[in-house]
């Protein structure tokens, strides 16, 4: 009778394959996390922003953050001859005046149809055609910056700039998660103006 001697510590071929598969899975997962993190940083945390000294219009999109104060500050500093204020949500309350009159600046308030960023982009595009605008500064928050630029850029052939309003830190996680879904929808499912 032949005895088989088992040497402990030397893994079998099957164990080596499982270990390599595990290692490959961990490396692939780490790569996916790194790419998603880099994309999140570029698209929703540090997107391009800023505007020149003067544009044709300031368009404030509705949503979270200190947008109205930012849009009005730009208008009071005569960075554009027109300021457009979206009133697309219940956050605006029930008053009939959305912004004070600003000397030398036309104030346009509107409720988008549909009450979404797409509706706001369509309205801004229509105004741009009517008034022959060549440049727009959008006022939004940093997480919405990329999607707002994308949507408005589909409805307006001129230069689109973005100025970010302050957003409380506790709102960032929700806004970034929301923007991932909304941006994917804008990129792949709602491609029209």
């Amino acid at each position: 009778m032949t005895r088989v001697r088992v040497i402990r510590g030397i893994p079998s071929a099957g164990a080596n394959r499982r270990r390599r598969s595990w290692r490959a899975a961990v490396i692939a997962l780490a790569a996916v996390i790194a790419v998603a993190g880099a994309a999140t940083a570029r698209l929703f945390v540090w997107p391009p922003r800023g505007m020149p000294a003067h544009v044709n219009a300031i368009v404030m999109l509705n949503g979270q953050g200190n947008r109205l104060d930012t849009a009005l500050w730009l208008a009071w500093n005569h960075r554009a001859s027109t300021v457009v204020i979206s009133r697309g949500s219940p956050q605006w309350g029930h008053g009939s005046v959305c912004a004070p009159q600003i000397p030398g600046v036309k104030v346009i308030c509107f409720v988008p149809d549909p009450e979404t960023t797409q509706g706001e982009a369509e309205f801004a595009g229509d105004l741009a055609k009517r008034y022959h605008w060549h440049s727009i500064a959008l006022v939004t928050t940093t997480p919405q910056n990329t999607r707002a630029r994308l949507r408005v850029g589909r409805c307006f052939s001129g230069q689109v700039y973005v100025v970010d309003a302050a957003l409380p830190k506790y709102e960032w996680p929700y806004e970034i998660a929301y923007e991932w879904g909304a941006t994917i929808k804008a990129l792949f499912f709602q491609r029209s103006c």
Side-chain angles (χ1 to χ4, degrees), residues 1 58 130 141 156 179 193:
M1 178 173 217
I58 298 161
R130 183 180 315 152
T141 55
F156 172 63
E179 285 304 323
C193 168

Side-chain angles (χ1 to χ4, degrees), residues 36 39-41 43-45 141-144 147 167 169-185:
T40 298
L43 296 173
F44 309 124
V45 179
T141 55
T142 304
Q144 189 188 21
R147 182 172 57 94
L167 181 68
K169 300 253 186 259
Y170 66 86
E171 291 184 12
W172 277 78
Y174 170 80
E175 291 296 323
I176 288 173
Y178 177 84
E179 285 304 323
W180 263 114
T183 301
I184 289 169
K185 183 170 87 172

Side-chain angles (χ1 to χ4, degrees), residues 23-187:
R23 191 174 301 143
V26 167
I27 290 170
L29 179 62
V32 167
I33 290 170
V35 168
T40 298
R42 177 71 172 115
L43 296 173
F44 309 124
V45 179
W46 296 292
R49 64 188 85 164
M51 66 178 279
H54 193 271
V55 293
N56 295 120
I58 298 161
V59 179
M60 188 206 80
L61 303 179
N62 192 42
Q64 303 298 324
N66 197 8
R67 298 170 193 230
L68 183 59
D69 287 345
T70 301
L72 293 178
W73 183 87
L74 292 169
W76 277 104
N77 284 283
H78 297 283
R79 302 287 297 270
S81 57
T82 305
V83 63
V84 181
I85 308 290
S86 173
R87 296 175 51 144
S89 80
Q91 294 171 330
W92 283 101
H94 304 300
S96 61
V97 176
C98 74
Q101 293 301 311
I102 301 170
V105 176
K106 180 177 187 152
V107 177
I108 299 172
C109 300
F110 74 103
V111 175
D113 182 25
E115 292 184 8
T116 62
T117 305
Q118 182 171 349
E120 292 169 330
E122 291 168 1
F123 190 84
D126 290 344
L127 285 178
K129 286 177 192 158
R130 183 180 315 152
Y131 293 110
H132 308 287
W133 294 339
H134 301 287
S135 58
I136 292 175
L138 301 175
V139 176
T140 185
T141 55
T142 304
Q144 189 188 21
N145 179 318
T146 299
R147 182 172 57 94
R149 186 187 308 271
L150 171 69
R151 290 239 187 243
V152 172
R154 289 178 178 163
C155 299
F156 172 63
S157 61
Q159 193 66 41
V160 178
Y161 302 96
V162 180
V163 176
D164 297 331
L167 181 68
K169 300 253 186 259
Y170 66 86
E171 291 184 12
W172 277 78
Y174 170 80
E175 291 296 323
I176 288 173
Y178 177 84
E179 285 304 323
W180 263 114
T183 301
I184 289 169
K185 183 170 87 172
L187 283 171

